[in-house]
């Protein structure tokens, strides 16, 4: 018996994950076995499967996007280990609200101007733009484009692999910078993917402004809904992406990469090649004052510490901190909690709970676990990006669009140089969040 795809429902419609994996059930042993295939149809649920003369066929299925339920009418055949599309029809969209619609989905389409009341004025250019787009662009896009060392690192890495025959897929285009780099370097064709309608339109205009509209195609959709019809030149020789958040996996970078792997040639280059989510134990009186209540002039406010968030890391940006300029003492070396191979790792196979030993290098009190990351754009490890505070010292934009995160602890343990402790890392099932505990070994 065969099974294709399925859906994992997140709290928000945008967080739902649609799978396009194929699994085989042995009816004698009752064991499921994943089947590796290439060119798989887009993720969906309720697809119909049938076999004829030993060949597997799949028809249709359903997915939801922007509160709409979309019914697919495509027909695919699995020949060997490769899917082939035999027939494709226009997807049909159900016009009513999905039964799971909620206020979160409504907020995604809320116009920016709706939150302002007269006599406050809102420029026409942004009044009807979704608030989520304005928040994202102002929250990190400007700072990201101004992170010149980041831009230069990507340009140098691309320069080492782009050739005249290279077909490029850029995931998470934003303003289109990486696609423009590849075009200027002479890549044959670049397909760049952007999920936000308004940002995709802006990227198309920026690309045309620079004369690359025939070399770069902007695809306005999520990677989970892509198929080979979105790639005018066929399979991809180079996959480049920059979908990182304050946490390495916080923007879904691994899932995006995994969803487009079926479109890559066997020897395709994946950029970045690997990355590590790291942790450092720190002591900081300044941080302590910002993250817990104490006493002042005889008044005791420690009762408020009942409400401290020790479940998920706090972005330094939210606290108004640049750790590269905030006094703190590192009580340990920076240590990798998990390392991701973007060529091969799969979301579903990552362990959700791991333990990592860490040695204390300096005696002190642990006020927080500082979370930063590093990625290598190439397999040789030549081109590297990090959010470690020393690497952000002279780069304010990097602290503004990425920064670090701080895992607070229920208690601040005293540690001594030479001791070994253990950090337990727990990943959320969608990998967008994590938490870290610290205990004696």
């Amino acid at each position: 018996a065969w099974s294709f795809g399925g859906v994992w429902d997140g709290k928000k419609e945008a967080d739902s994950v649609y799978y396009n994996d194929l699994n085989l059930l042995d009816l004698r042993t009752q064991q499921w076995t994943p089947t590796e295939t290439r060119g798989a149809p887009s993720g969906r649920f309720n697809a119909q499967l049938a076999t004829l003369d030993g060949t597997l066929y799949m028809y249709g299925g359903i997915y939801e996007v922007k509160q709409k339920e979309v019914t697919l009418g495509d027909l695919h055949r699995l020949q060997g280990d490769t899917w082939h599309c035999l027939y494709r029809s226009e997807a049909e969209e159900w016009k009513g609200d999905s039964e799971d619609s909620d206020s979160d989905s409504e907020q995604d389409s809320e116009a920016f101007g709706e939150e302002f009341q007269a006599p406050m004025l809102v420029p026409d250019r942004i009044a009807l733009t979704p608030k989520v787009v304005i928040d994202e662009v102002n929250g990190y896009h400007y700072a990201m484009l101004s992170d010149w060392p980041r831009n230069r690192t990507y340009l140098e890495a691309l320069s080492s692999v782009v050739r005249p025959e290279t077909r490029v897929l850029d995931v998470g285009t934003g303003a289109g910078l990486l696609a423009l780099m590849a075009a200027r370097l002479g890549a044959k064709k670049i397909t760049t993917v952007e999920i936000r309608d308004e940002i995709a339109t802006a990227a198309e205009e920026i690309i045309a402004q620079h004369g690359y509209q025939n070399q770069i195609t902007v695809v306005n959709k999520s990677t989970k809904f892509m198929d080979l019809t979105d790639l005018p030149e066929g399979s991809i020789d180079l996959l480049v992406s920059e979908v990182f958040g304050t946490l390495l996996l916080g923007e879904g970078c691994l899932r995006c990469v995994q969803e487009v792997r079926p479109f890559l040639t066997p020897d395709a280059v994946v950029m970045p090649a690997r990355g590590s989510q790291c942790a450092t134990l720190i002591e900081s009186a300044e941080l302590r004052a910002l993250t817990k209540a104490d006493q002042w002039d005889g008044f005791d406010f420690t009762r408020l510490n009942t409400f401290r968030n020790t479940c998920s890391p706090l972005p330094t940006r939210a606290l108004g901190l640049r750790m590269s300029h905030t006094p703190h003492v590192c009580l340990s070396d920076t240590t990798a909690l998990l390392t991701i191979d973007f060529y091969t790792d799969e979301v579903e196979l990552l362990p959700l709970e791991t333990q990592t030993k860490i040695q204390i290098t300096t005696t002190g009190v642990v006020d927080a676990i500082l979370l930063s990351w590093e990625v290598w754009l190439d397999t040789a490890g030549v081109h590297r990006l990090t959010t470690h505070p020393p690497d952000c010292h002279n780069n304010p934009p990097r602290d503004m669009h990425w920064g670090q995160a701080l895992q607070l602890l229920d208690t601040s343990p005293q540690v001594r140089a030479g001791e070994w402790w253990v950090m337990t890392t727990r990943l959320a099932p969608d990998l967008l969040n994590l938490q870290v505990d610290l205990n004696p070994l």
Side-chain angles (χ1 to χ4, degrees):
W2 295 95
S3 171
F4 180 89
V7 60
W8 178 83
D9 285 324
K11 292 183 178 180
K12 302 180 182 179
E13 183 272 331
D15 294 335
S16 295
V17 178
Y18 293 86
Y19 297 96
N20 64 347
D21 53 340
L22 181 67
N23 293 277
L24 175 64
L25 174 64
D26 188 319
L27 298 176
R28 293 169 299 176
T29 63
Q30 298 295 301
Q31 295 293 316
W32 284 100
T33 303
T35 301
E36 296 292 333
T37 62
R38 296 181 55 80
S42 59
R44 64 194 69 192
F45 65 95
N46 282 5
Q48 301 179 51
L49 301 175
T51 57
L52 177 64
D53 297 330
T55 299
L56 180 66
Y57 294 83
M58 186 192 75
Y59 175 78
I62 297 171
Y63 68 88
E64 294 176 2
V65 60
K66 295 183 179 179
Q67 295 182 263
K68 302 297 183 182
E69 186 177 274
V70 178
T71 300
L72 297 163
D74 48 351
L75 177 65
H76 299 264
R77 176 181 66 200
L78 181 62
Q79 192 166 12
D81 64 350
T82 303
W83 286 98
H84 299 272
C85 183
L86 304 179
Y87 173 76
R88 186 180 305 280
S89 67
E90 290 294 325
E92 297 182 5
E93 185 178 281
W94 181 59
K95 301 302 181 182
D97 291 340
S98 80
E99 60 186 26
D100 295 327
S101 63
D102 54 27
S103 59
D104 290 325
S105 299
E106 294 170 4
Q107 289 172 3
D108 279 350
S109 59
E110 176 188 354
F112 180 69
E114 291 180 16
E115 65 177 40
F116 296 90
Q117 298 180 345
M120 299 182 74
L121 302 178
V122 181
D124 290 343
R125 60 185 169 80
I126 55 175
L128 299 179
T129 303
K131 181 179 182 297
V132 64
V133 172
I134 302 300
D135 289 346
E136 287 180 0
V137 173
N138 288 267
Y140 59 85
H141 277 265
Y142 297 141
M144 182 169 58
L145 289 168
S146 297
D147 185 347
W148 294 347
R150 160 197 172 269
N151 301 346
R152 180 61 58 183
T153 301
Y154 264 98
L155 179 59
E156 292 173 352
L158 286 169
S159 299
S160 68
V161 294
V162 170
R163 301 291 182 268
E165 68 277 8
T166 303
R167 297 163 296 181
V168 180
L169 176 60
D170 169 28
V171 172
T173 188
L177 177 59
L178 300 184
L180 287 167
M181 288 180 185
R184 191 168 66 182
L185 290 168
K188 178 180 180 180
K189 183 68 179 180
I190 302 100
T191 302
T192 186
V193 184
E194 172 56 49
I195 192 172
R196 299 290 185 199
D197 299 358
E198 295 76 13
I199 297 177
T201 299
E204 285 184 322
E205 294 174 0
I206 292 170
I207 289 164
Q209 173 189 338
H210 291 85
Y212 290 113
Q213 65 272 20
N214 295 326
Q215 200 172 348
I216 303 174
T217 299
V218 178
V219 175
N220 179 204
K221 62 169 61 173
S222 166
T223 52
K224 65 186 175 185
F225 300 130
M226 287 188 67
D227 56 41
L228 283 172
T229 62
D230 296 312
L231 304 171
E233 297 293 331
S235 297
I236 296 300
D237 306 301
L238 168 60
L239 168 62
V240 60
S241 64
E242 196 278 74
V243 193
F244 309 120
T246 300
L247 300 174
L248 177 64
L249 302 181
E251 296 293 330
C253 58
L254 179 58
R255 188 175 298 282
C256 290
V257 169
Q258 183 177 331
E259 286 168 342
V260 299
R261 279 184 195 144
F263 311 135
L264 306 184
T265 61
D267 57 350
V269 173
V270 177
M271 184 182 299
R274 57 191 172 96
S276 293
Q277 178 66 64
C278 302
T280 312
L281 309 184
I282 64 168
E283 178 176 3
S284 172
E286 285 77 3
L287 176 61
R288 196 180 311 138
L290 289 174
T291 57
K292 65 167 58 174
D294 208 332
Q295 300 182 15
W296 183 84
D297 201 22
F299 298 112
D300 186 343
F301 300 105
T302 55
R303 170 65 174 80
L304 280 180
N305 292 331
T306 304
F307 305 111
R308 291 182 84 226
N309 178 8
T310 57
C311 293
S312 57
L314 303 178
T316 52
R317 294 179 301 164
L319 295 171
L321 293 177
R322 291 189 64 202
M323 292 308 297
S324 57
H325 288 68
T326 301
H328 65 277
V329 176
C330 294
L331 306 180
S332 71
D333 292 333
T334 298
T335 303
L337 296 174
L338 60 94
T339 296
I340 301 296
D341 184 333
F342 288 104
Y343 278 88
T344 59
D345 280 345
E346 299 184 12
V347 170
E348 298 80 10
L349 300 181
L350 286 185
L352 296 183
E353 184 169 327
T354 57
Q355 292 191 326
T356 307
K357 293 193 297 183
I358 190 166
Q359 187 173 30
I360 307 303
T361 57
T362 303
T363 298
V365 174
V366 181
D367 288 310
I369 302 173
L370 186 148
L371 299 172
S372 57
W373 51 255
E374 54 193 26
V375 299
W376 294 266
L377 300 186
D378 58 314
T379 55
V382 175
H383 306 287
R384 175 174 173 263
L385 291 169
T386 93
T387 60
H388 305 326
D391 297 322
C392 301
H393 189 272
N394 295 317
N395 189 359
R398 184 164 300 182
D399 273 332
M400 295 301 102
H401 72 91
W402 284 331
Q404 303 82 33
L406 296 164
Q407 174 70 70
L408 304 181
L409 305 171
D410 282 329
T411 60
S412 298
Q414 173 79 41
V415 296
R416 297 187 178 280
E419 292 178 343
W420 284 92
W421 287 62
V422 62
M423 296 180 292
T424 301
T425 304
R426 301 180 186 89
L427 293 172
D430 61 7
L431 306 187
L432 301 184
N433 200 2
L434 59 78
Q435 60 181 210
V436 187
D437 282 344
L438 179 67
N439 292 286
L441 184 61

